[in-house]
Amino acid sequence: MKKHILVIPGDGIGQEVTTWGKAVLEKIGQQGGHEFTFDEALMGHAAIEATGTPLPDETLEKAKASDAILFGAIGHIKYDNDPTAKVRPEQGLLKIRKELGLYANLRPIMLFDELLGASSLKPEILKGTDILFFRELTGDVYFGEKKRSDDRNTASDLMIYHRYEVERIARKAFEAAQARTKRLCSVDKANVLEASRLWREVVQELAKEYPDVETEHMFIDNAAMQLVKNPKKFDVVLTANLFGDILTDEASQIAGSMGMLASASVGDGTGFFEPIHGSAHDIAGQDKANPLASILSVALMFEISFGLKEEAARITSAIDKVLKDGYRTADIADAATDKSKILGTTAMGQKVLEYL
Ligand code: NAD
């Protein structure tokens, strides 16, 4: 198979972790059967510094021309502390999602048994958890009208959903549920929000087309609580952009760390694969970032965009063996970890290549 992949490292640890995602792609390519070619492009703070805009036209053109995109993360501390900045790194990410029509963000909560002790939750609560989140990605308060009054003392963000937006992601989630354990939980806040009432109405209508799927509706506040109380209760979780953003960060604690969770954004255009974490200023440039989420994003790329299930399994199995042999980055180490096996970003990336 011949595929052209655009690598967008972005900012902070995004640049460090995508090095290893790309290295894994190269390794699988060298192992035979596939030819992967690469290009690189700017986004976020790095793009603002170089071109004055967070998503240069050149990046968008390269993205549209590629078979898949491997992305790191965007963000810089200077914007986090300056809410008045008009040009911001995250505008690049929101725009590329919209331009490529990437309306469905799939976030599997994959739990390696070896990391049961790395989570802040009890192992007996976690063991056996396997959740697939469908987070809507191109609607909600992220894209609704934003307003600030003339005196700057009042602000609002419009939470807006159209029927077709709910329907297209709900279909993907129902289809995934059919291929899994046939359970779907749709999370909203329909007791308070009109946008959520539309969401629930559309999901209830669609559920009639999937009678083999057991459909449940849950309010976001309850879902946030149930997720840590009894995560095994969930299989496919379908939710809106804002709720999905928050709920999946919470769910990252099931997998042990933000550094373990990968995601796939799919829809009309080129598939976009990225860790769920941000640019992590607190550890950027210190060789501390866990590269496994970026490497797992490549496994998702193989499975979802290229249909290469065997290669995807080879990657997760290499990571599993690395963990079984006791190697950890600091974020997934616990009291029982052999200190000599706590690795930095580079050593962990190399270890995965070695096991591959
Ligand atoms: P973050 O995800 O960057 O970091 C949260 C915490 O998790 C930090 O303590 C960090 O050290 C840790 N962490 C994250 N990834 C890790 C990894 N691979 N290995 C080890 N530890 C890891 O979130 P934040 O601190 O809220 O935001 C930092 C910046 O990232 C902000 O500018 C924000 O806007 C941006 N951001 C970008 C994205 C994205 O690009 N998709 C997502 C979230 C936040």
Side-chain angles (χ1 to χ4, degrees), residues 13 71 73-76 80 93 258-259 274 276-283 289-290 331:
I13 66 165
F71 170 64
I74 46 88
H76 191 278
D80 295 352
L93 187 55
M258 296 274 277
E274 57 173 314
I276 77 155
H277 62 72
S279 51
H281 327 300
D282 53 339
I283 55 167
N290 182 347
D331 58 309

Side-chain angles (χ1 to χ4, degrees), residues 276-311:
I276 77 155
H277 62 72
S279 51
H281 327 300
D282 53 339
I283 55 167
Q286 299 170 40
D287 196 39
K288 282 186 182 163
N290 182 347
L292 296 179
S294 179
I295 295 173
L296 285 166
S297 303
V298 172
L300 279 181
M301 181 190 292
F302 281 157
E303 200 178 323
I304 294 173
S305 276
F306 304 161
L308 297 175
K309 289 203 162 62
E310 194 270 321
E311 286 78 352

Side-chain angles (χ1 to χ4, degrees), residues 44 48 52-55 78-92 94-95 146-150 152:
I48 296 173
T53 161
L55 180 67
K78 105 177 190 204
Y79 304 93
D80 295 352
N81 294 332
D82 178 11
T84 62
K86 291 270 180 293
V87 179
R88 313 182 57 83
E90 58 271 20
Q91 291 162 346
L94 296 180
K95 188 168 173 204
K146 297 179 183 303
K147 279 191 192 159
R148 184 72 83 94
S149 62
D150 291 342
R152 313 287 301 156

Side-chain angles (χ1 to χ4, degrees), residues 282-351:
D282 53 339
I283 55 167
Q286 299 170 40
D287 196 39
K288 282 186 182 163
N290 182 347
L292 296 179
S294 179
I295 295 173
L296 285 166
S297 303
V298 172
L300 279 181
M301 181 190 292
F302 281 157
E303 200 178 323
I304 294 173
S305 276
F306 304 161
L308 297 175
K309 289 203 162 62
E310 194 270 321
E311 286 78 352
R314 235 152 73 202
I315 296 173
T316 39
S317 147
I319 292 178
D320 197 36
K321 291 197 180 103
V322 166
L323 297 173
K324 278 205 167 74
D325 282 349
Y327 296 104
R328 302 281 188 275
T329 42
D331 58 309
I332 49 172
D334 61 21
T337 307
D338 171 354
K339 298 266 177 305
S340 70
K341 290 189 169 177
I342 300 182
L343 309 179
T345 313
T346 305
M348 179 54 99
Q350 279 163 347
K351 202 45 93 184

Side-chain angles (χ1 to χ4, degrees), residues 3-10 18 25 37-43 55 59-72 93 96-97 99-100 102 263-265 269-275 294 297-298 300-302 305-306:
K3 293 287 176 193
H4 184 65
I5 295 138
L6 179 66
V7 180
I8 307 180
T18 42
L25 274 159
T37 54
F38 299 93
D39 202 348
E40 199 161 298
L42 293 170
M43 197 160 89
L55 180 67
T59 301
L60 199 52
E61 279 157 27
K62 286 181 177 182
K64 286 180 178 166
S66 64
D67 295 308
I69 299 159
L70 178 67
F71 170 64
L93 187 55
I96 200 167
R97 287 172 178 166
E99 290 280 340
L100 296 178
L102 302 171
S263 86
S265 301
T270 316
F272 193 89
F273 299 85
E274 57 173 314
S294 179
S297 303
V298 172
L300 279 181
M301 181 190 292
F302 281 157
S305 276
F306 304 161

Side-chain angles (χ1 to χ4, degrees), residues 161-181:
Y161 266 115
H162 302 284
R163 178 173 291 272
Y164 78 92
E165 291 175 317
V166 185
E167 202 175 306
R168 63 187 179 181
I169 186 166
R171 278 199 189 283
K172 282 199 184 294
F174 274 113
E175 282 159 18
Q178 281 182 319
R180 288 167 56 100
T181 66

